[in-house]
Amino acid sequence: MDTYCVFGHPIEHSKSPWIHARFAQLTGQALAYRKILAPIDGFATSLQTFQAQGGKGCNVTLPFKTEAAALATRCSPRVSLAQACNTLKFDGQEILGDNTDGLGLVNDLVHNASCNLQGKSLLLIGAGGAAAGVLGPLLCEKPRCIVVVNRTLDKAVRMVNRHAALALAEGVDCQAFDLQHEILHSQAFDVVINASSSSLHQGELPVPSSVLSRHGMACDLMYGPASQRFMDWASSHGAEPRDGLGMLVEQAAESFQLWRGVRPPTAPVLAELRALLAQS
Ligand code: NDP
């Protein structure tokens, strides 16, 4: 049976084995998918071992996404822009690297949440691996503008500069600011995306409520109880809250399609996963 896995550290929390098992059942594909805890300084060795044992491909999560991009022998343009890779496919001695995080977010917003991004104003909070993975696919939806804000300005500037040619080609005004910039007090956005790990640390909300639009969308890439504070904050200011669970399922579907050439249905899997998490 073809085998796949997700590497991370920690990895116990990962829902990917459950999601891929459901995709396999629903598409009639015979595959096994497990989680592997790679040592912090041992991702390359763990990957090599898995490949040598006949593994067909893998997902990669924190903190190995940058290292995965470096280990891939051939990368998609999305990986080059993001400098991070969440999906590897083994093809003989070749390791193909892709980043499906951004496609996952866009599919969730556009198809599951019916939030068309074309012509909209977007605020992207964060400039870490997740933000880098979603910026390119967000630009490809041709919003009017994307404002990227991050605690460390320099990281946001470098990320936006890396995407400058794509922003120009798509006709999107894309700028970077820090979290103290006055634009956060003077402009409301159609769509606010929290790609920072503020919810993970349960700290202060990273931006003031003045960024939220009534009936706009506010999405935290976090999911589960940790995203509740952001979601409550968004809905208390009239915005439509969304967590990152849909993105998680949609990015997995993109990986599954890359490996198996088959598109799994995501709506039933997302509904089941949401129900499962609500029970636990
Ligand atoms: P990284 O560690 O790569 O980046 C963290 C980012 O958050 C940085 O921009 C950092 O700023 C910022 N940050 C950290 N703490 C705070 C804070 N208290 N206030 C404001 N900004 C803060 O993490 P990732 O980018 O990989 O992950 C970010 C989030 O996205 C996590 O919650 C993760 O769970 C989620 N995620 C969800 C996915 C899904 O499928 N739903 C997929 C991938 C990630 P600085 O640069 O200044 O350090």
Side-chain angles (χ1 to χ4, degrees):
M1 194 185 282
D2 289 347
T3 58
Y4 300 86
C5 74
V6 55
F7 287 103
H9 190 122
I11 199 59
E12 203 36 53
H13 66 286
S14 176
K15 305 286 177 280
S16 293
W18 186 91
I19 294 170
H20 283 283
R22 284 301 287 134
F23 285 167
Q25 284 167 352
L26 291 169
T27 56
Q29 295 275 309
L31 61 87
Y33 187 112
R34 63 194 159 104
K35 34 191 165 189
I36 297 182
L37 178 75
I40 291 289
D41 58 354
F43 171 60
T45 309
S46 300
L47 185 71
Q48 221 172 24
T49 306
F50 181 68
Q51 192 179 7
Q53 288 167 345
K56 295 286 180 192
C58 63
N59 285 126
V60 181
T61 188
L62 275 177
F64 303 125
K65 288 186 183 182
T66 309
E67 203 178 340
L71 290 169
T73 56
R74 193 142 50 90
C75 286
S76 72
R78 284 191 287 268
V79 172
S80 309
L81 275 178
Q83 297 185 346
C85 177
N86 76 336
T87 306
L88 295 172
K89 180 183 178 183
F90 306 135
D91 185 11
Q93 284 314 298
E94 284 249 73
I95 303 177
L96 310 177
D98 204 348
N99 191 318
T100 64
D101 281 339
L103 296 178
L105 175 65
V106 166
N107 283 344
D108 184 54
L109 291 177
V110 174
H111 302 301
N112 301 339
S114 304
C115 176
N116 187 358
L117 300 173
Q118 191 172 1
K120 300 271 175 68
S121 58
L122 270 58
L123 176 68
L124 178 62
I125 309 162
V134 303
L135 182 55
L138 287 172
L139 286 166
C140 291
E141 292 302 297
K142 299 186 190 303
R144 179 164 48 79
C145 67
I146 301 183
V147 168
V148 179
V149 288
N150 193 43
R151 197 170 55 176
T152 310
L153 174 62
D154 183 46
K155 268 169 73 179
V157 169
R158 274 187 276 128
M159 188 175 91
V160 164
N161 286 347
R162 223 165 47 235
H163 289 76
L166 180 61
L168 191 67
E170 300 293 348
V172 186
D173 178 21
C174 187
Q175 299 190 57
F177 301 108
D178 63 30
L179 289 177
Q180 277 70 50
H181 197 276
E182 65 90 26
I183 196 168
L184 296 175
H185 298 276
S186 59
Q187 189 176 331
F189 295 83
D190 300 316
V191 181
V192 173
I193 298 166
N194 185 17
S196 83
S197 46
S198 61
S199 294
L200 198 64
H201 307 308
Q202 289 294 295
E204 289 294 299
L205 289 158
V207 290
S209 55
S210 44
V211 301
L212 296 171
S213 293
R214 250 193 133 58
H215 309 302
M217 169 72 69
C219 178
D220 194 342
L221 302 197
M222 193 74 209
Y223 51 83
S227 62
Q228 200 56 52
R229 185 154 176 248
F230 180 93
M231 308 251 290
D232 291 345
W233 169 75
S235 48
S236 72
H237 291 92
E240 187 186 331
R242 191 155 188 89
D243 67 8
L245 203 62
M247 171 183 171
L248 180 75
V249 172
E250 294 292 343
Q251 62 78 29
E254 294 290 335
S255 299
F256 191 92
Q257 184 168 15
L258 187 80
W259 295 325
R260 310 299 298 179
V262 177
R263 182 90 197 157
T266 51
V269 176
L270 176 55
E272 285 172 34
L273 183 57
R274 209 172 271 296
L276 205 67
L277 289 181
Q279 284 166 16
S280 59

